[in-house]
Amino acid sequence: MIKRKYTGEVDVVIVGAGAAGGVLAKELSEAGMSVVVLDAGPFRDPQKDFASDELSMKNLGWQETRIVDGQNPLTMGHNNSGRGIGGGTVHFTAVFLRFHDIDFKARTLDGVADDWPMDYEDLEPYYDKIEKEIAVSGPKHFPWGNFHGPYPYPEREPLSPNAYLFQNGCAKLGIQSTVAPLAILSAPFEGRPPCINRGFCNQGCMPDSKFSTLIVHIPKAIAAGAEVLADCMVTQVLVGKDGRATGVTFVHDGVTYEQKAKLVILSAYVVETPRLLLNSATSRFPDGLANSSGMVGKSIMVHSSHDVYAKFDREIRLYKGTPVLATTQDFYRTNPNNDFVRGYTLHAHGARPVAFATGITKAEGGPIWGSRIREAMLDYNYYGRVTLVGEVLPDVRNQVTLADEKDEYGLPRAKVTFSYGDNDQRLIRHAVKTMSAIMEAEGGKVEFVVPDTAHMMGGCRMGDNPQTSVVNSFGRSHDIPNLFICDASIFVTSGGGNPTNTVMALAARTADYIKEKASMQEL
């Protein structure tokens, strides 16, 4: 039997302890609310449970079966889903970019997608708050977007050989580049040490130099009174006769429990949040909860994340240093000279040996195997890499639905359908050409172009119109007033940069909204 701190109704139950769930747990528990956090995965100890081992640490990602479909079916797992307390923040690269003002106005500016029901200015104070709270390190001047610095902590140095070659290649082509803003310490902070460039950020950070909600927000939430329960798979959101959420059911060690709550917040990410809403259908909500618009699970997005690997006549050693240490956003905004709208970010991106081998087997032009892959691996130290973070436009046909196949809990599995649109494909072609030019300018010979995706978003989009959206700009469900959704699923567009900073800023904003409405008894 699971040991419980709270046995009755609590103020808030949060499903998912990742980037958003951790922030919400800390903010609401510190405000004096009784909070229970439930996560399907384990509660890990970085010093005991992390290892500098690519294969063993794949368990940091969601490994359970998901059905994929579409013209460009997604690879699910470690690259785009976390599993366990801390969620994806445990194994992300810690690139900590803000969205730009243009990201909230795609329809107004470019006639595509939709505008968000909020502006950059609505999130700006929360970007500031989160970056200070976790001591983001960044360049002295960031040339793009609305925020140009300074960051709370100075930029990381020295850079990796891969980052230097990227910056040199950019300079020769007249492309601006900078050290990347990172949620990785460049100096001691709150008892945590600065980064020593081990380079295993995607395998969990044993020294705790890299931020995750596992080591920052969750401990603070627990200290403020929150109860955090690991290995608890939430199977249903419960709704009363009055149409309000009353709590959730969850399974731990084969036993089903119920957690009653005045407020339910889903922060289970882009696949599991829609899946839970659809699996919680009732006679009153036959199409799933919060789904009167029919938009639950619809318009999911990823970032196109193609890799370009080039071989050099000198050692680069892609394993050296933090994976991402240099970046450019020179191609972030719509350029009328291009055959696509919106834009992208490029990163100098390291790769450990297993990731390198796995990646190049899927390179364009056919599978790489046998003597070809052996030769490439023998020359691993001579390869450089640039990675794309490209905006993908929302399309209602890209969606999370329920499959016929069921999981160990008797619930239908998620079916994830995805295809690129024409604009997405044109953007990718431009980005691959740019990445190749950067590597070639520095003397590299492009050998592999590897299609990939990252950073899932959408599926429970925010909006002012209940007929076309699932939640308002604060994540409050249009249909069920005490049901909130707060994670990357509420994104309207994907932007052209890494989304974690925006996820956490939205969570901090939602927490303030909940605290204000609770004080006025309006939840």
Side-chain angles (χ1 to χ4, degrees), residues 159-168 177 316 323-326 348-349:
L159 305 186
S160 64
N162 190 57
Y164 286 125
L165 76 84
F166 173 82
Q167 290 201 303
N168 291 339
S177 67
I316 307 300
V324 176
L325 281 167
H349 201 310

Side-chain angles (χ1 to χ4, degrees), residues 246-263:
T246 61
V248 300
T249 58
F250 66 93
V251 177
H252 176 79
D253 283 346
V255 179
T256 300
Y257 299 85
E258 183 177 319
Q259 177 60 62
K260 293 185 178 297
K262 297 174 185 175
L263 193 73

Side-chain angles (χ1 to χ4, degrees), residues 13 20 24 116-118 123 245 263-268 273 277 289-290 296 460-464 469-492 502-503 505-514 517 523:
V13 62
L24 289 161
W116 293 48
M118 60 189 301
L123 272 189
L263 193 73
V264 175
I265 307 177
L266 304 186
S267 297
T273 290
L277 291 169
L289 303 186
V296 168
C460 292
R461 62 187 298 177
M462 64 167 73
D464 292 328
S469 61
V470 179
V471 298
N472 69 9
S473 70
F474 297 97
R476 190 174 193 173
S477 161
H478 294 307
D479 298 349
I480 302 173
N482 68 330
L483 174 63
F484 281 71
I485 301 168
C486 190
D487 54 29
S489 70
I490 67 176
F491 281 33
V492 179
T502 301
V503 171
L506 286 169
R509 182 172 181 263
T510 291
D512 274 359
Y513 176 85
I514 290 173
K517 292 299 182 182
L523 288 174

Side-chain angles (χ1 to χ4, degrees), residues 346-386:
L346 298 180
H347 296 312
H349 201 310
R352 310 288 83 72
V354 173
F356 174 76
T358 304
I360 65 174
T361 60
K362 299 178 288 186
E364 292 180 352
I368 306 298
W369 58 285
S371 61
R372 181 72 180 91
I373 193 170
R374 181 177 182 275
E375 290 167 3
M377 291 309 299
L378 288 173
D379 290 332
Y380 162 73
N381 285 335
Y382 292 87
Y383 281 91
R385 176 193 185 195
V386 182

Side-chain angles (χ1 to χ4, degrees), residues 301-366:
M301 300 163 286
V302 292
H303 281 135
S304 48
S305 188
H306 284 51
D307 299 312
V308 172
Y309 288 98
K311 187 178 176 182
F312 291 80
D313 60 3
R314 62 188 186 276
E315 289 189 345
I316 307 300
R317 296 186 179 270
L318 278 172
Y319 60 83
K320 283 197 169 189
T322 301
V324 176
L325 281 167
T327 190
T328 181
Q329 291 194 325
D330 262 11
F331 308 94
Y332 199 92
R333 304 175 71 94
T334 296
N335 184 333
N337 295 322
N338 294 334
D339 62 351
F340 61 92
V341 297
R342 314 302 288 172
Y344 57 84
T345 299
L346 298 180
H347 296 312
H349 201 310
R352 310 288 83 72
V354 173
F356 174 76
T358 304
I360 65 174
T361 60
K362 299 178 288 186
E364 292 180 352

Side-chain angles (χ1 to χ4, degrees), residues 177-498:
S177 67
T178 69
V179 179
L182 297 170
I184 300 175
L185 297 181
S186 58
F189 180 72
E190 293 188 340
R192 294 164 48 213
C195 178
I196 56 173
N197 274 324
R198 289 174 61 254
F200 283 89
C201 305
N202 299 129
Q203 287 70 45
C205 178
M206 293 175 68
D208 289 344
S209 303
K210 189 189 78 165
F211 156 80
S212 72
T213 50
L214 169 66
I215 64 168
V216 176
H217 291 85
I218 291 299
K220 292 178 180 178
I222 293 172
E227 181 176 37
V228 179
L229 300 177
D231 300 306
C232 293
M233 177 68 180
V234 175
T235 54
Q236 188 176 11
V237 177
L238 302 172
V239 179
K241 294 181 180 179
D242 59 357
R244 291 176 61 87
T246 61
V248 300
T249 58
F250 66 93
V251 177
H252 176 79
D253 283 346
V255 179
T256 300
Y257 299 85
E258 183 177 319
Q259 177 60 62
K260 293 185 178 297
K262 297 174 185 175
L263 193 73
V264 175
I265 307 177
L266 304 186
S267 297
Y269 203 45
V270 172
V271 176
E272 293 302 311
T273 290
R275 181 189 179 209
L276 181 56
L277 291 169
L278 296 173
N279 272 323
S280 298
T282 66
S283 57
R284 181 168 184 160
F285 300 104
D287 298 320
L289 303 186
N291 197 26
S292 64
S293 65
M295 288 300 295
V296 168
K298 300 292 181 64
S299 295
I300 65 166
M301 300 163 286
V302 292
H303 281 135
S304 48
S305 188
H306 284 51
D307 299 312
V308 172
Y309 288 98
K311 187 178 176 182
F312 291 80
D313 60 3
R314 62 188 186 276
E315 289 189 345
I316 307 300
R317 296 186 179 270
L318 278 172
Y319 60 83
K320 283 197 169 189
T322 301
V324 176
L325 281 167
T327 190
T328 181
Q329 291 194 325
D330 262 11
F331 308 94
Y332 199 92
R333 304 175 71 94
T334 296
N335 184 333
N337 295 322
N338 294 334
D339 62 351
F340 61 92
V341 297
R342 314 302 288 172
Y344 57 84
T345 299
L346 298 180
H347 296 312
H349 201 310
R352 310 288 83 72
V354 173
F356 174 76
T358 304
I360 65 174
T361 60
K362 299 178 288 186
E364 292 180 352
I368 306 298
W369 58 285
S371 61
R372 181 72 180 91
I373 193 170
R374 181 177 182 275
E375 290 167 3
M377 291 309 299
L378 288 173
D379 290 332
Y380 162 73
N381 285 335
Y382 292 87
Y383 281 91
R385 176 193 185 195
V386 182
T387 292
L388 164 67
V389 180
E391 179 160 359
V392 167
L393 298 178
D395 185 328
V396 292
R397 294 169 295 184
N398 292 334
Q399 58 185 320
V400 174
T401 54
L402 299 181
D404 294 331
E405 182 180 322
K406 295 186 177 181
D407 66 8
E408 61 185 291
Y409 307 102
L411 299 174
R413 296 190 186 278
K415 179 180 179 181
V416 183
T417 302
F418 180 79
S419 304
Y420 283 125
D422 290 341
N423 191 78
D424 308 328
Q425 297 280 19
R426 290 194 290 268
L427 182 152
I428 291 168
R429 286 195 291 271
H430 186 277
V432 168
K433 184 177 179 180
T434 304
M435 291 188 282
S436 300
I438 291 170
M439 303 290 257
E440 290 166 353
E442 190 55 14
K445 180 179 181 296
V446 174
E447 301 242 343
F448 305 107
V449 176
V450 180
D452 201 0
T453 61
H455 310 142
M456 298 188 75
M457 295 152 283
C460 292
R461 62 187 298 177
M462 64 167 73
D464 292 328
N465 186 349
Q467 295 182 342
T468 58
S469 61
V470 179
V471 298
N472 69 9
S473 70
F474 297 97
R476 190 174 193 173
S477 161
H478 294 307
D479 298 349
I480 302 173
N482 68 330
L483 174 63
F484 281 71
I485 301 168
C486 190
D487 54 29
S489 70
I490 67 176
F491 281 33
V492 179
T493 54
S494 69
N498 303 56

